[in-house]
């Protein structure tokens, strides 16, 4: 979404400019912030990135002041020289008064346009600038420490999980695959409709299984798309006796099962001393997960909603908000599973990526996304593990995400008040 800052104190002129922008972006979303004085304009430019700043020359210095001739030039000076300024992509000074030749010479970063209520030439120029900005408004989008560009990022580790999201996520449109120049990672975008508004979704897949690949893919996607929340979908191993096939394991906490120290004891035995660094989900996210976990009718509907001709267990899935370990290897050993289970009394799940995604999110640049992994049990990490319930487990993971997005009202808070956001 293009972001525009309009710095103008005259109501009629402001209305004409907005009308031109509305006409240009009809059918598309854009966002306008308004300032009527120099100080407010500087505050906006200090806190957010704008694709386009449209500026009058004759402005009040502060809200309580009267307009002064050419005081708007201070905004341009601020952008050019102050390190607090987040430089916009394009600046246009739109004034009805004579433009000083020295301004054009001394401020080459600004495009000076003569405004007239009786001549439409300025409208054509503003439209051309908007067309240029629209063409160049592509991913990766610039971070400004404040604005999220996408609502949801879904990270998967393998093609089976990626395809399950494509198949089972309840979207509004066909998935659109995106290529980012210089990056071979796979991305697809779509929208999900909720009663609070429409969410922009981006889906990606790591180049391979494991924490290293997950950390790299999540970090790149966070930088490129700047999402409000990261969800990890897919399949995991469950702890036998605590989980059933298809149960959704929400990792809280998540930790690296291989983190610790190997030592030789006095008897010469090699002993592993775990040192787990736990990452927890946000309390609002946990509340939503607990609500879904308690909704028996919903979980029954999820179970009954799977009608593919493949293996399905004969038990309704549960949502388990409990400890989950991420490890560096696929486990097919009862002995090794038992060793990891012994490191945390509440452990219910084991997989290979969630901790890395949590770490990537919690260490990303501002604004930092929230995060949650909701993978479903497809085996117990024992010698008899197989692929029979992979598709069902992938389905229940995505079914949980469908419901989570419908209840995650905090994702839509920026959509509730659209007094300054124009969309047609």
């Amino acid at each position: 979404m293009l972001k525009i800052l309009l710095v103008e104190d005259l109501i009629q002129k402001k209305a004409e400019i907005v009308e031109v922008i509305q006409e240009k972006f009809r059918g598309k979303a854009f966002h306008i912030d308004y300032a009527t004085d120099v100080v407010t304009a500087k505050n906006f430019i200090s806190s957010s990135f704008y694709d386009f700043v449209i500026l009058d020359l004759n402005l009040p210095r502060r809200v309580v002041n009267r307009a002064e001739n050419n005081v708007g030039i201070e905004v341009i000076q601020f952008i050019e020289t102050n390190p607090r300024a987040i430089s916009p992509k394009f600046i246009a000074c739109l004034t009805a008064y004579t433009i000083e030749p020295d301004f054009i010479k001394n401020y080459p970063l600004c495009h000076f346009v003569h405004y007239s209520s009786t001549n439409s030439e300025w409208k054509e120029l503003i439209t051309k600038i908007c067309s240029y900005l629209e063409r160049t408004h592509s991913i990766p989008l610039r971070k400004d420490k404040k604005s999220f560009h996408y609502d949801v990022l879904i990270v998967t580790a393998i093609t089976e999980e990626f395809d399950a999201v494509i198949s089972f996520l309840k979207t509004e449109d066909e998935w659109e695959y995106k290529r980012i120049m210089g990056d071979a990672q796979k991305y697809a975008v779509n929208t999900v409709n909720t009663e609070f508004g429409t969410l922009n979704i981006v889906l990606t897949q790591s180049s391979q299984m494991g924490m290293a690949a997950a950390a790299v893919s999540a970090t790149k996607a966070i930088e490129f798309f700047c999402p409000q929340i990261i969800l990890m979908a897919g399949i995991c191993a469950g702890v036998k006796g605590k989980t059933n096939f298809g149960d959704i394991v929400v990792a809280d906490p998540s930790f690296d099962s291989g983190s610790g120290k190997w030592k030789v004891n006095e008897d010469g035995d090699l002993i592993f001393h775990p040192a787990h660094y736990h990452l927890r989900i946000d309390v609002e996210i946990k509340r939503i997960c607990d609500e879904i976990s308690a909704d028996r009718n919903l979980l029954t509907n999820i179970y009954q909603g799977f009608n593919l001709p493949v293996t399905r267990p004969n038990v309704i899935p549960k949502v388990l908000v409990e400890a989950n370990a991420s490890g560096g290897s696929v486990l097919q050993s009862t002995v090794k599973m038992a060793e990891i289970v012994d490191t945390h009394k509440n452990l219910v799940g084991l997989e290979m990526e969630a901790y890395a995604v949590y770490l990537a999110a919690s260490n990303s640049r501002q604004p930092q996304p929230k995060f949650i992994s909701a993978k479903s049990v497809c085996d117990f990490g024992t010698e008899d593990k197989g692929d029979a319930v992979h598709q069902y487990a992938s389905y229940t993971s995505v079914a949980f995400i469908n419901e989570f997005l419908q209840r995650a009202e905090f994702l839509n808070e920026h959509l509730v008040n659209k007094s300054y956001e124009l969309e047609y």
Side-chain angles (χ1 to χ4, degrees), residues 237-238 331-335 337 350 379-385:
L331 282 190
Q332 194 168 351
S333 166
T334 302
V335 172
M337 273 294 289
L350 179 68
D379 61 64
F380 301 115
T382 53
E383 288 79 2
D384 59 352
K385 71 181 292 179

Side-chain angles (χ1 to χ4, degrees), residues 70-194:
N70 295 330
V71 77
I73 213 72
E74 294 180 9
V75 177
I76 303 172
Q77 293 169 340
F78 176 78
I79 292 170
E80 288 186 347
T81 63
N82 196 302
R84 291 196 302 114
I86 302 171
S87 302
K89 187 178 290 185
F90 205 100
I91 311 166
C93 184
L94 186 61
T95 179
Y97 297 93
T98 301
I99 300 170
E100 298 286 342
D102 284 349
F103 288 168
I104 298 172
K105 175 183 176 182
N106 295 332
Y107 303 103
L109 298 181
C110 180
H111 189 77
F112 290 87
V113 179
H114 188 265
Y115 164 83
S116 171
S117 59
T118 59
N119 188 318
S120 63
E121 184 177 349
W122 68 270
K123 297 181 181 180
E124 296 171 7
L125 291 171
I126 295 296
T127 300
K128 285 182 179 179
I129 294 169
C130 288
S131 296
Y132 165 77
L133 293 172
E134 186 178 28
R135 265 196 332 272
T136 58
H137 188 73
S138 58
I139 299 166
L141 302 172
R142 180 169 173 176
K143 276 196 164 191
D144 59 11
K145 299 188 291 185
K146 177 182 177 182
S147 306
F148 294 107
H149 298 306
Y150 273 73
D151 298 301
V152 179
L153 166 64
I154 301 175
V155 177
T156 58
I158 57 177
T159 300
E160 183 179 26
E161 296 168 343
F162 184 94
D163 291 345
V165 176
I166 295 288
S167 298
F168 301 127
L169 196 71
K170 296 177 181 177
T171 58
E172 292 301 297
D173 302 299
E174 294 294 319
W175 287 91
E176 178 186 354
Y177 289 85
K178 291 281 188 183
R179 289 297 306 273
I180 295 177
M181 187 177 297
D183 181 37
Q185 192 162 312
K186 182 165 62 175
Y187 303 99
V189 298
N190 211 323
T191 56
V192 168
N193 205 24
T194 75

Side-chain angles (χ1 to χ4, degrees), residues 192-199 406 412 415 418:
V192 168
N193 205 24
T194 75
E195 66 175 286
F196 308 108
T198 299
L199 300 175
Q406 294 300 320
N412 302 278
L415 299 172
K418 287 195 174 185

Side-chain angles (χ1 to χ4, degrees), residues 54-348:
I54 304 173
L55 173 70
D56 190 13
L57 275 181
N58 289 10
L59 291 166
R61 185 167 272 104
R62 293 179 175 80
V63 175
V64 296
N65 299 146
R66 291 185 177 182
E68 300 178 42
N69 291 341
N70 295 330
V71 77
I73 213 72
E74 294 180 9
V75 177
I76 303 172
Q77 293 169 340
F78 176 78
I79 292 170
E80 288 186 347
T81 63
N82 196 302
R84 291 196 302 114
I86 302 171
S87 302
K89 187 178 290 185
F90 205 100
I91 311 166
C93 184
L94 186 61
T95 179
Y97 297 93
T98 301
I99 300 170
E100 298 286 342
D102 284 349
F103 288 168
I104 298 172
K105 175 183 176 182
N106 295 332
Y107 303 103
L109 298 181
C110 180
H111 189 77
F112 290 87
V113 179
H114 188 265
Y115 164 83
S116 171
S117 59
T118 59
N119 188 318
S120 63
E121 184 177 349
W122 68 270
K123 297 181 181 180
E124 296 171 7
L125 291 171
I126 295 296
T127 300
K128 285 182 179 179
I129 294 169
C130 288
S131 296
Y132 165 77
L133 293 172
E134 186 178 28
R135 265 196 332 272
T136 58
H137 188 73
S138 58
I139 299 166
L141 302 172
R142 180 169 173 176
K143 276 196 164 191
D144 59 11
K145 299 188 291 185
K146 177 182 177 182
S147 306
F148 294 107
H149 298 306
Y150 273 73
D151 298 301
V152 179
L153 166 64
I154 301 175
V155 177
T156 58
I158 57 177
T159 300
E160 183 179 26
E161 296 168 343
F162 184 94
D163 291 345
V165 176
I166 295 288
S167 298
F168 301 127
L169 196 71
K170 296 177 181 177
T171 58
E172 292 301 297
D173 302 299
E174 294 294 319
W175 287 91
E176 178 186 354
Y177 289 85
K178 291 281 188 183
R179 289 297 306 273
I180 295 177
M181 187 177 297
D183 181 37
Q185 192 162 312
K186 182 165 62 175
Y187 303 99
V189 298
N190 211 323
T191 56
V192 168
N193 205 24
T194 75
E195 66 175 286
F196 308 108
T198 299
L199 300 175
N200 295 311
I201 312 290
V202 58
L203 169 66
T204 192
Q205 178 188 331
S206 300
S207 59
Q208 62 187 54
M209 293 164 51
M211 281 192 282
V216 170
S217 63
T219 298
K220 286 198 298 183
I222 292 168
E223 285 296 301
F224 291 159
F225 295 93
C226 200
Q228 286 196 72
I229 189 171
I230 302 180
L231 295 104
M232 192 154 205
I235 54 179
C236 67
V239 175
K240 202 164 190 176
K242 293 184 178 181
T243 63
N244 295 308
F245 291 140
D247 284 353
I248 301 108
V249 175
V250 175
D252 184 44
S254 176
F255 61 90
D256 177 0
S257 64
S259 177
K261 184 176 184 179
W262 286 96
K263 292 177 64 177
V264 177
N265 65 12
E266 294 177 353
D267 298 326
D269 297 323
L270 187 62
I271 305 296
F272 179 66
H273 297 266
H276 297 156
Y277 303 97
H278 292 180
L279 292 174
R280 307 296 300 262
I281 60 176
D282 179 79
V283 291
E284 175 69 6
I285 292 176
K286 185 178 186 304
R287 180 191 63 78
I288 296 169
C289 295
D290 289 340
E291 286 180 358
I292 296 174
S293 175
D295 193 335
R296 189 68 177 173
N297 289 334
L298 168 67
L299 296 173
T300 300
N301 290 338
I302 288 176
Y303 178 77
Q304 295 174 343
F306 185 76
N307 51 19
L308 297 181
V310 294
T311 302
R312 182 184 72 172
N314 58 0
V315 60
I316 293 170
K318 303 186 297 292
V319 176
L320 304 170
V321 187
E322 274 294 0
N324 176 82
S326 296
S329 306
V330 176
L331 282 190
Q332 194 168 351
S333 166
T334 302
V335 172
K336 292 302 293 183
M337 273 294 289
E339 289 178 4
I340 295 173
V341 169
D342 285 343
T343 66
H344 197 298
K345 67 182 182 67
N346 296 327
L347 190 73
V348 296

